[in-house]
Amino acid sequence: KAGVTQTPRYLIKTRGQQVTLSCSPISGHRSVSWYQQTPGQGLQFLFEYFSETQRNKGNFPGRFSGRQFSNSRSEMNVSTLELGDSALYLCASSLLFSEQETQYFGPGTRLLVL
Amino acid sequence: TQLLEQSPQFLSIQEGENLTVYCNSSSVFSSLQWYRQEPGEGPVLLVTVVTGGEVKKLKRLTFQFGDARKDSSLHITAAQPGDTGLYLCAGSGNSNSGYALNFGKGTSLLVTP
């Protein structure tokens, strides 16, 4: 099976712009989670989608949003970019979303905001 | 607020040495996972521990979950350069976060030949 894929791998934006990142989960996986990784804060949970519904959300401002399509592919959007949004954005997929489910991570999208 | 504290933050050792990485929390987790992340890649799951006091071995890696399910350790025997990477612990099932993974900031390990 192909792993989790994320596009683009690298992105450079300027403050105030918006960005959309894409994640294709492992075939058959219905849950997609997004994480932000920075050197200062480490990996932090953004949100999780299952069957096109957001079921869980982390402590991030409303500028961060996402959605999931019927084929389980997911996108996340960040509006009005700030310098502090520079980070590695990781997507993870699992069959469901439970304590016993392994989450498989993609390689991430590295976003640089100038 | 970081629920999981990892120590040490950085570790540089020579091939053949042993090392232990710690992951501590004041919160109880239903399960705790260890990941390794290499540059330019996402984290890869090494092990999941779910029972207090549980010990799991993966070749030269030994993982232990504390009796109270608040802490964990990873011990590597005879480290090799291929062990180099960022080791992350993550807890799930905490009452405040549901099933979302709460990650520590990681231990960056460098093993030199």
Side-chain angles (χ1 to χ4, degrees), chain A residues 9-10 35 37 39-45 56 88 90 97-108 110, chain B residues 2 30-31 33 35 37 40-45 48 50 86 88 92-93 97-105:
Chain A
R9 292 293 308 273
Y10 305 93
Y35 294 83
Q37 186 175 27
Q41 297 299 318
L43 268 133
Q44 294 187 296
F45 174 73
N56 203 357
L88 180 67
L90 292 160
F97 188 63
S98 70
E99 296 170 11
Q100 304 303 324
E101 283 289 327
T102 297
Q103 293 191 36
Y104 295 88
F105 284 84
R110 186 164 295 281
Chain B
Q2 208 77 27
S30 297
S31 68
Q33 302 174 355
Y35 291 80
Q37 184 179 22
E41 300 296 331
V44 175
L45 180 68
T48 300
V50 297
L86 179 67
L88 296 157
S92 69
S97 64
Y99 299 141
L101 289 172
N102 290 279
F103 280 88
K105 290 188 179 181

Side-chain angles (χ1 to χ4, degrees), chain A residues 8-103:
Chain A
R9 292 293 308 273
Y10 305 93
L11 207 49
I12 300 175
K13 292 285 187 179
T14 56
R15 278 183 303 173
Q17 287 187 310
Q18 74 166 13
V19 67
T20 299
L21 311 181
S22 181
C23 171
S24 292
I26 292 172
S27 178
H29 285 193
R30 297 172 63 189
S31 170
V32 173
S33 301
W34 288 89
Y35 294 83
Q36 181 196 64
Q37 186 175 27
T38 60
Q41 297 299 318
L43 268 133
Q44 294 187 296
F45 174 73
L46 280 157
F47 30 65
E48 183 261 346
Y49 286 86
F50 183 84
S51 293
E52 303 177 63
T53 301
Q54 186 184 90
R55 296 195 304 182
N56 203 357
K57 189 177 189 302
N59 190 26
F60 277 81
R63 299 185 298 106
F64 292 82
S65 63
R67 60 178 176 168
Q68 186 180 34
F69 302 95
S70 58
N71 62 359
S72 294
R73 189 177 70 85
S74 178
E75 289 181 346
M76 69 163 281
N77 183 276
V78 188
S79 62
T80 319
L81 284 166
E82 300 178 359
L83 296 180
D85 297 334
S86 294
L88 180 67
Y89 289 89
L90 292 160
C91 164
S93 77
S94 61
L95 277 171
L96 303 172
F97 188 63
S98 70
E99 296 170 11
Q100 304 303 324
E101 283 289 327
T102 297
Q103 293 191 36

Side-chain angles (χ1 to χ4, degrees), chain B residues 2 9 14 21 34 48 50 54 58 65 67 85 100 107:
Chain B
Q2 208 77 27
Q9 190 175 358
Q14 290 196 315
V21 174
W34 284 93
T48 300
V50 297
E54 182 177 3
L58 184 65
F65 201 13
D67 290 340
T107 293

Side-chain angles (χ1 to χ4, degrees), chain B residues 18-35:
Chain B
N18 301 331
L19 66 117
T20 302
V21 174
Y22 299 94
C23 175
N24 297 302
S25 175
S26 58
S27 300
V28 175
F29 292 96
S30 297
S31 68
L32 198 138
Q33 302 174 355
W34 284 93
Y35 291 80

Side-chain angles (χ1 to χ4, degrees), chain B residues 24-108:
Chain B
N24 297 302
S25 175
S26 58
S27 300
V28 175
F29 292 96
S30 297
S31 68
L32 198 138
Q33 302 174 355
W34 284 93
Y35 291 80
R36 186 173 79 191
Q37 184 179 22
E38 298 186 25
E41 300 296 331
V44 175
L45 180 68
L46 296 173
V47 77
T48 300
V49 285
V50 297
T51 305
E54 182 177 3
V55 176
K56 279 192 175 179
K57 291 193 174 184
L58 184 65
K59 296 183 180 179
R60 294 175 294 99
L61 278 60
T62 301
F63 305 86
Q64 185 163 8
F65 201 13
D67 290 340
R69 291 185 291 136
K70 292 182 179 181
D71 53 80
S72 181
S73 64
L74 158 60
H75 182 79
I76 301 179
T77 303
Q80 299 176 0
D83 296 327
T84 293
L86 179 67
Y87 288 82
L88 296 157
C89 67
S92 69
N94 175 270
S95 59
N96 293 326
S97 64
Y99 299 141
L101 289 172
N102 290 279
F103 280 88
K105 290 188 179 181
T107 293
S108 183

